[in-house]
Amino acid sequence: MTAGPITDTSADAVRRRALRQMRTVATSLLVLAAVVFVLTLHKDGFLGYVNAGAEASMVGAMADWFAVTALFRHPLGLPIPHTALIPRRKDDIGHSLEEFVGENFLAEEVLRERIAVVQPALRIGNWLAEETNARALVDEASTVAAAALSRVRDDHIAELVNDVLVPRLAEEPIAPLLGGALEGALADNLHRGVVDLALVELHDWLAANQDTVTDVLGERAPWWIPPALRDPAAARIHVEIVRWVADIRDDPSHRARLALDKMLGELAHDLQHDPATQERAEQFKHRLLKHPQVIATSIDLWDAFRRALTSALRDDDSALRARLVEEATRFGGRLQTDAGLRDRLQAVAADAVVYVVKRYGKEATAVITHTIERWDGREASRRIELHVGRDLQFIRINGTLVGGLVGVLIHAAAAVL
């Protein structure tokens, strides 16, 4: 498969001028050697040495011109064997170049050594430690994140919940998961904060809504209690309820708290080991997942979260962005001072790079072969010559000069002998 001509860039134009200049220099030396040879032909003495040097210079120049030209085209257009090597063997060159890059530049030891030399973690730390840089990073990341959040539509969330999350939750047994989570929370006393908050709120509500509580108690009182006794009794019951809730709130070892801890502990155990409890939990899970309000609630929660997060990300003076800048700067400072953290991060980075290269390196280096295969032979030769042809002209120049020197030496040796 061949590709059309490749458009030259401004850099290619510079390379072309440099190549043309060096060709002119090399050819001028050949012409100069030819002129000197003609002028000193059949001369003796010193001019004989000059003539021998000029003759050898022409031979060296022509030989090296042939060698350089044979790489890219047939010299003088003649189909001489083993010439025009690049147009004829460009595909082999592409494969060889691909193997060379893969074996010498993408080898695991080379990548790890280069990462160790570059020390990306330290460089990132030095950069992030500057608050201006950390703020620039947070600003850019916030802009991208806000734009990404704004592109997530409600139907995307509905599809995610309905097609991915709900089926997955339906398949996954929920009881052992809930039991393990509850057991861990009880072991770490994480539930105490929830209980304390609930008790504080309940006490404050009961104290502030005496009329509501007494009305409910009065409505629930037996019909045979006289109205004259009903209201004082309800008021007394309200006072005792408020006092009882206050006692539970203020006493971490209250028997009601202990009873709640015991009940939650038994529930955590039953969720993990009791088949009947597990079955009830699964039935409740399936009823909940089949309820149409699940998707609507998920969308509402997502919308609320997205609006709050997007607003915070777009506000230059928001507490979220200020905290992100502070954390980024602090992380940069840690990278500067904590050698252990740097080593761990660089090890992770090296492992990631090696993994990516091992998994996708072949596809990456194959771009070299595929690109060269798509080139026409003459186009490939032209582009390679454009990049290396200027340096190759020095071979012609050196051949002219070295050939002349060797010619003089040979002539001197012949004269001595």
Side-chain angles (χ1 to χ4, degrees), residues 257-273:
R257 284 179 178 265
L258 299 178
L260 178 62
D261 290 348
K262 182 180 179 181
M263 182 193 71
L264 292 176
E266 292 174 351
L267 177 60
H269 178 273
D270 292 344
L271 285 171
Q272 296 179 85
H273 305 289

Side-chain angles (χ1 to χ4, degrees), residues 59 65 122 131 198 281 301 314 357 389 414:
V59 173
W65 167 82
L122 180 58
E131 184 177 347
L301 290 174
R314 288 177 174 170
V357 169

